[in-house]
């Protein structure tokens, strides 16, 4: 016969364990299980090194503005940041040249075109429409100040370290792959040079851009970067300022209107959060004043966005009513579910 006291003790232990698991972590686990089996999409193949990613990788992380971290799945798996780097480098260029100074060279209008398109660049006088497309990001990288390319890149590294809270490094295999196959980006840079929209030498600017895209991060890093923006530009743990607060609205504005490639309009309509995606499979999103979200899954839709990432963030936004134009955008439900510390 089973010992009744042993059964009671086991029931008590199970109850205690359930109490430890926060409602938020339980929701993240549910979403992760739901979409982990989705195999739609394909690995990015125009950068050969990116095809080496495991298509099963899938991680979700949420970090609050007071430093609480909630993760599930492959949230610690590193990958290259790619286009998620764009708003952050643009922020550094804004600090160097100011809002009006950058507007002379890079606009803030969405294009509706693919991220690497040259069509509007040629049609509209060589000024990139926004800093979230390749043309605008290459231009932004070229305007980072410093006496030479290594100095400028070190400034970029230091900036990302302030957002992430640790040292970051370049995946040299991906950098070499991008540098040797990035013919369209090279063509874009020549267009920019032709119209006097490069701040420094062409090859140095391209190298800085390829390196920034090749930085290794994980979903936890992206969530912390989003949380830093949500926290007024101050890292939630280190308390180090990552960006001048006057430029945060600039970053969140262009992320909102242009951050998800040519899916940006529908993204904002459905999800309603400032976000930036990259062809490495990452998405960084910001819940203003509350948290940052980082998702990683390398299977991409035809526009270059993570398939599982979009599904996960859309469900989170709907469940917690995160859309910035929603009726209940005080985010009370999410704040309540973050009440217990989790990992």
């Amino acid at each position: 016969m089973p010992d009744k006291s042993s059964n009671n003790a086991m029931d008590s232990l199970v109850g205690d364990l359930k109490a430890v698991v926060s409602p938020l972590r339980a929701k993240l686990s549910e979403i992760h299980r739901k979409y982990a089996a989705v195999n739609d999409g394909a690995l990015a193949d125009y950068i050969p090194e990116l095809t080496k990613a495991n298509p099963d990788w899938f991680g979700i992380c949420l970090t609050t503005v007071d430093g609480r971290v909630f993760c599930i799945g492959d949230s610690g798996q590193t990958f290259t940041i790619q286009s998620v780097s764009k708003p952050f480098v643009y922020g550094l260029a804004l600090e160097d040249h100011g809002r009006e100074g950058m507007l002379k060279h890079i606009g803030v209008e969405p294009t509706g075109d693919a991220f690497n398109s040259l069509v509007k660049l040629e049609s509209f006088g060589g000024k990139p429409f926004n800093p979230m497309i390749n043309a605008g990001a290459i231009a932004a990288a070229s305007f980072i100040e410093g006496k030479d390319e290594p100095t400028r890149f070190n400034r970029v590294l230091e900036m990302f370290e302030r957002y992430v809270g640790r040292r970051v490094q370049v995946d040299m295999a991906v950098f070499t792959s991008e540098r040797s196959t990035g013919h369209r980006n090279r063509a874009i840079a020549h267009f920019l040079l032709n119209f006097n929209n490069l701040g420094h030498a062409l090859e140095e600017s391209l190298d800085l851009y390829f390196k920034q895209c090749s930085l290794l991060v994980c979903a936890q890093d992206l969530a912390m970067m989003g949380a830093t923006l949500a926290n007024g530009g101050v890292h939630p743990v280190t308390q180090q300022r990552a960006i001048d607060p006057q430029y945060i609205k600039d970053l969140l504005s262009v992320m909102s209107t242009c951050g998800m490639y040519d899916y940006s309009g529908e993204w904002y309509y459905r999800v309603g959060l400032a976000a930036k995606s990259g062809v490495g499979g990452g998405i960084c999103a910001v819940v203003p004043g509350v948290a940052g979200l980082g998702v990683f899954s390398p299977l991409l839709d035809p526009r270059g966005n993570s398939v599982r990432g979009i599904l996960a963030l859309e469900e989170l936004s709907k469940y917690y009513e995160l859309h910035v134009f929603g009726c209940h955008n005080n985010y009370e439900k999410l704040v309540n579910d973050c009440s217990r510390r989790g990992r």
Side-chain angles (χ1 to χ4, degrees), residues 16-298:
D16 288 346
L17 288 172
K18 286 182 177 178
V20 169
V21 178
S22 72
L24 173 58
R25 196 176 194 288
K27 187 62 182 178
L28 293 179
S29 298
E30 175 192 326
I31 291 174
H32 188 272
R33 286 193 302 271
K34 182 176 180 179
Y35 296 119
V38 174
N39 289 313
D40 298 339
L43 299 173
D45 59 5
Y46 74 98
I47 301 172
E49 278 293 315
L50 297 188
T51 62
K52 297 179 180 179
N54 183 340
D56 294 331
W57 283 334
F58 181 27
I60 308 171
C61 187
L62 182 147
T63 298
T64 65
V65 293
D66 60 357
R68 286 172 288 171
V69 180
F70 300 82
C71 294
I72 195 71
D74 301 305
S75 60
Q77 172 62 50
T78 57
F79 58 94
T80 51
I81 192 170
Q82 299 298 328
S83 288
V84 182
S85 65
K86 291 175 179 176
F88 302 95
V89 174
Y90 178 60
L92 185 57
L94 282 169
E95 289 183 317
D96 283 348
H97 299 280
R99 186 173 294 114
E100 297 306 318
M102 290 312 301
L103 281 172
K104 293 177 183 177
H105 300 282
I106 305 171
V108 290
E109 297 292 337
T111 67
D113 295 330
F115 60 88
N116 58 357
S117 174
L118 289 88
V119 175
K120 286 188 171 68
L121 188 61
E122 183 176 15
S123 302
F124 290 86
K127 179 179 177 178
F129 263 50
N130 66 73
M132 302 297 100
I133 56 174
N134 287 14
I138 292 168
S142 79
F143 281 100
I144 301 303
E145 287 301 313
K147 64 179 181 179
D148 51 28
E149 193 274 334
T151 302
R152 293 192 288 275
F153 182 62
N154 281 335
R155 292 191 63 221
V156 170
L157 277 180
E158 291 166 0
M159 177 267 295
F160 277 108
E161 288 165 5
R162 290 193 292 273
Y163 278 102
V164 173
R166 64 170 182 83
R167 293 187 64 83
V168 293
Q169 61 184 8
V170 172
D171 184 320
M172 291 306 296
V174 174
F175 165 67
T176 302
S177 183
E178 293 206 35
R179 193 184 195 202
S180 61
T181 61
H183 307 302
R184 181 175 286 266
N185 284 328
R186 206 167 293 280
I188 288 171
H190 279 283
F191 265 108
L192 294 171
L193 179 63
N194 183 69
F195 290 100
N196 297 315
N197 270 328
L198 278 183
H200 288 99
L202 184 145
E203 290 298 333
E204 291 184 357
S205 299
L206 279 170
D207 271 5
L208 194 155
Y209 173 71
F210 292 140
K211 285 177 184 175
Q212 79 178 54
C213 291
S214 302
L215 292 173
L216 286 166
V217 293
C218 63
Q220 294 179 33
D221 293 330
L222 298 188
M224 190 64 77
M225 292 162 69
T228 299
L229 290 178
N231 194 39
V234 176
H235 190 282
V237 178
T238 68
Q239 295 300 304
Q240 188 173 15
R241 174 159 295 284
I243 183 173
D244 188 323
Q246 69 173 306
Y247 296 121
I248 293 174
K249 66 179 183 295
D250 300 68
L251 271 62
L252 295 182
S253 294
V254 293
M255 290 169 71
S256 298
T257 58
C258 312
M260 299 295 288
Y261 301 133
D262 45 327
Y263 182 69
S264 296
E266 187 169 346
W267 164 269
Y268 209 62
Y269 180 81
R270 292 181 179 275
V271 181
L273 291 175
K276 186 69 194 83
S277 61
V279 296
I283 302 176
C284 172
V286 179
V287 185
V290 179
L293 289 158
V295 181
F296 165 58
S297 181

